[in-house]
Amino acid sequence: MFRSEYADVPPVELPIHEAVLGRAAEFGENPALIDGTDGTTLTYAQLDAFHRRVAAGLAEAGVAKGDVLALHSPNTIAYPTAFYAATRAGATVTTVHPLATPEEFAKQLRDSASRWIVTVSPLLETARRAAELAGGVEEIFVCDSAPGHRSLIDMLGSTAPEPVIDIDPVEDVAALPYSSGTTGLPKGVMLTHRQLATNLAQLSPALAVGPGDRILAVLPFFHIYGLTALMNGPLRNGATVVVLPRFDLETFLAAIQNHRITGLYVAPPIVLALAKHPLVTQYDLSTLRYILSAAAPLDAKLAEACSQRLNLPPVGQAYGMTELSPGTHVVPLAAMRHAPPGTVGRLVAGTEMRIVSLDDPDKDVGVAEDGEILIRGPQVMKGYLGRPDATAAMIDPDGWLHTGDVGHADADGWLFVVDRVKELIKYKGFQVAPAELEALLLTHPGIADAAVIGVYNDDGNEVPHAYVVRRPTVTDLSEGEVMMYVAERVAPYKRVRQVTFIDGVPRAASGKILRRRLRELQ
């Protein structure tokens, strides 16, 4: 068993809005959030006041403890206000991918029993259609303005009393992001106020940020990585978060230069761009002190190429998953120059790890031996919403969460992730469940059977590759038609990027798809 070398941190038994904004008065007029495109700025004092007024407006509208509010928006400086206002009003926030189709959004609304939606006007039609399909939604609010919808901006003028809600940080769920876990369809991950707040405290010794630090938030807040590393973490410590709604390389580089960004939390595709794209040399990136990559594996040579080009310490990595609130390992900022290449870091405070044999899960492997990574600590999720069996399959009776990732640790406790037991595909850090795409493919009238695996393309990104069996009477079904059929029905990051036609999908006697056989075909 491996234990963190950091001192244990006591559980943070505060509502997440208090855990993050409890020092807002201390930071006062320091900039908390800056719009990276137009420079609009919110100070800590404003963020604190605004989220309290919006909480009052939401409560006046009927939002109450136990409700679920769906937050459906790209990154904006209003996103944190909406999130903390909802939790202060007593709601659980389920974060929604802004590119979700109405059908995908509706599934999440139904599964989470969401009663409220907060969106932005460009996404309003998707939100309306999703609400119609799902049923049960009381009202759709907007962050900006749209005819016929109450706006969070208008709520800033609310004279209603600020809600005083009795929140139990141990039991009450603050965030309900959706994850496919190790396999299967997306499930609601119940993360309590204490789990989210404690994970921030666990990460703090390794990722020390504070007033004067400027973090660029281009990865989405709706994803647990962005929610923790780019929103909750920096705002808890008085740093300034510069917000971009999406990744565009020129806008991204200009924001680093113009806003004098000191730290980047990114995913591997951005590291690739920084290492190789010719545009990079046209911008002054000299204020950067470090880059940390997570959400998907990062090649050690690519990390080295990026750090050499920018004259920075080696790009560090972090490891975790939605079900772990999310952080368990990180290369500490102070250790980036001497961490072994390719490591995803050491255990954060208060966390334990086992690595068990793939053949005998009751047996721990030795140092430098590969096995499945198991994690135990205060950041382990409460469970999957409404899915006790899936929860029990993920977390054993002794509290160990089985990650489905394969790796090994060296004698100094540095973790290296080498493979996955689980079937999940990580496309640019976003989760793609093969089972979801397989179910969709089987609705095509010309497809008799299908299986999907992740393969790496020429850019080093893992992409969905579909193996398709045509129906006997169908001879003219093309790769392009299959890809278009999926593309029209899913968010862009879930699209099938490669198609191979085969005579039959390899399956075990139980009917389970033998994905290893498909990988061997690669």
Side-chain angles (χ1 to χ4, degrees):
M1 185 188 300
F2 296 83
R3 285 190 57 83
S4 174
E5 295 182 353
Y6 291 105
D8 284 354
V9 296
V12 180
E13 305 214 347
L14 290 171
I16 188 63
H17 45 273
E18 295 289 356
V20 173
L21 297 178
R23 297 171 66 193
E26 174 188 336
F27 302 132
E29 296 307 307
N30 290 359
L33 296 153
I34 299 175
D35 186 312
T37 56
D38 68 13
T40 303
T41 301
L42 288 183
T43 66
Y44 273 90
Q46 288 173 318
L47 175 59
D48 189 39
F50 289 178
H51 97 275
R52 292 173 185 273
R53 282 296 85 214
V54 173
L58 291 174
E60 188 178 36
V63 177
K65 183 176 179 181
D67 286 354
V68 178
L69 179 146
L71 183 47
H72 173 236
S73 170
N75 287 8
T76 71
I77 61 171
Y79 197 107
T81 296
F83 184 92
Y84 303 130
T87 60
R88 185 172 285 279
T92 295
V93 178
T94 188
T95 53
V96 183
H97 198 307
L99 296 181
T101 65
E103 292 74 18
E104 290 168 331
F105 191 178
K107 284 181 185 176
Q108 186 168 335
L109 291 172
R110 278 194 297 268
D111 190 74
S112 62
S114 293
R115 292 186 63 207
W116 314 92
I117 296 173
V118 173
T119 189
V120 291
S121 55
L123 300 180
L124 192 50
E125 284 308 311
T126 298
R128 284 174 177 158
R129 178 65 182 143
E132 290 171 5
L133 290 170
V137 174
E138 299 271 336
E139 187 171 352
I140 301 173
F141 307 108
V142 291
C143 291
D144 44 4
S145 61
H149 292 269
R150 281 194 271 191
S151 166
L152 269 56
I153 295 172
D154 296 335
M155 291 182 187
L156 296 177
S158 171
T159 56
E162 181 181 312
V164 179
I165 308 296
D166 182 18
I167 292 173
D168 179 354
V170 178
E171 292 296 330
D172 291 345
V173 176
L176 189 69
Y178 271 67
S179 165
S180 298
T182 56
T183 184
L185 298 175
K187 299 173 280 291
V189 178
M190 295 187 289
L191 300 178
T192 66
H193 291 265
R194 179 170 75 170
Q195 286 157 356
L196 289 170
T198 301
N199 196 228
L200 297 176
Q202 290 175 293
L203 289 162
S204 275
L207 300 176
V209 297
D213 288 309
R214 288 180 161 241
I215 307 300
L216 185 56
V218 68
L219 295 185
F221 290 146
F222 82 84
H223 190 283
I224 190 64
Y225 176 20
L227 191 75
T228 293
L230 300 176
M231 191 175 95
N232 290 340
L235 294 176
R236 174 179 181 264
N237 292 303
T240 297
V241 180
V242 178
V243 180
L244 291 177
R246 67 189 63 82
F247 180 73
D248 168 81
L249 184 58
E250 289 191 64
T251 307
F252 174 77
L253 294 170
I256 297 173
Q257 173 182 280
N258 298 338
H259 294 284
R260 305 186 63 76
I261 299 300
T262 59
L264 290 178
Y265 294 81
V266 297
I270 296 178
V271 179
L272 176 66
L274 289 170
K276 297 187 175 181
H277 202 285
L279 269 178
V280 173
T281 58
Q282 299 177 25
Y283 292 85
D284 177 6
L285 310 184
S286 61
T287 55
L288 282 178
R289 298 203 302 268
Y290 64 89
I291 299 174
L292 192 97
S293 177
L298 177 66
D299 178 75
K301 290 181 180 178
L302 176 59
E304 176 64 17
C306 178
S307 63
Q308 285 193 356
R309 189 183 196 192
L310 300 182
N311 193 28
L312 288 172
V315 176
Q317 293 195 66
Y319 172 76
M321 57 196 301
T322 308
E323 291 82 352
L324 291 164
S325 300
T328 68
H329 290 73
V330 65
V331 175
L333 299 184
M336 282 184 168
R337 291 196 184 276
H338 63 259
T343 182
V344 297
R346 282 174 162 156
L347 285 164
V348 301
T351 306
E352 300 172 302
M353 175 177 70
R354 292 172 58 203
I355 301 180
V356 300
S357 168
L358 298 175
D359 299 318
D360 181 1
D362 293 326
K363 178 185 175 185
D364 289 59
V365 301
V367 169
E369 287 186 58
D370 286 338
E372 184 182 4
I373 300 161
L374 276 55
I375 299 292
R376 186 166 66 181
Q379 68 270 56
V380 172
M381 68 172 176
K382 184 175 182 177
Y384 290 121
L385 177 68
R387 290 172 171 80
D389 292 346
T391 303
M394 192 76 163
I395 305 171
D396 68 27
D398 294 321
W400 291 100
L401 183 141
H402 294 242
T403 67
D405 286 321
V406 178
H408 61 266
D410 68 14
D412 296 319
W414 294 103
L415 177 65
F416 299 80
V417 179
V418 298
D419 199 359
R420 283 207 295 276
V421 176
K422 59 191 180 184
E423 300 165 356
L424 201 61
I425 299 165
K426 285 286 190 75
Y427 175 68
K428 296 188 176 182
F430 296 127
Q431 297 180 342
V432 182
E436 185 177 4
L437 293 178
E438 288 157 359
L440 175 57
L441 286 164
L442 292 177
T443 65
H444 189 290
I447 295 176
D449 201 0
V452 176
I453 63 170
V455 301
Y456 287 92
N457 65 13
D458 293 341
D459 292 331
N461 291 315
E462 191 179 22
V463 298
H465 184 131
Y467 286 84
V468 173
V469 180
R470 295 185 181 98
R471 290 194 179 277
T473 56
V474 176
T475 57
D476 59 348
L477 180 63
S478 68
E479 296 175 23
E481 185 179 345
V482 172
M483 288 191 280
M484 183 59 70
Y485 184 79
V486 175
E488 290 172 344
R489 292 164 174 80
V490 299
Y493 70 96
K494 294 182 185 177
R495 292 175 181 172
V496 168
R497 310 284 166 159
Q498 300 175 14
V499 176
T500 299
F501 291 105
I502 55 176
D503 294 331
V505 172
R507 295 181 183 272
S510 63
K512 182 178 176 64
I513 295 171
L514 298 174
R515 298 183 197 277
R516 287 185 182 274
R517 294 266 298 276
L518 294 174
R519 291 191 184 95
E520 288 166 6
L521 293 177
Q522 288 290 313

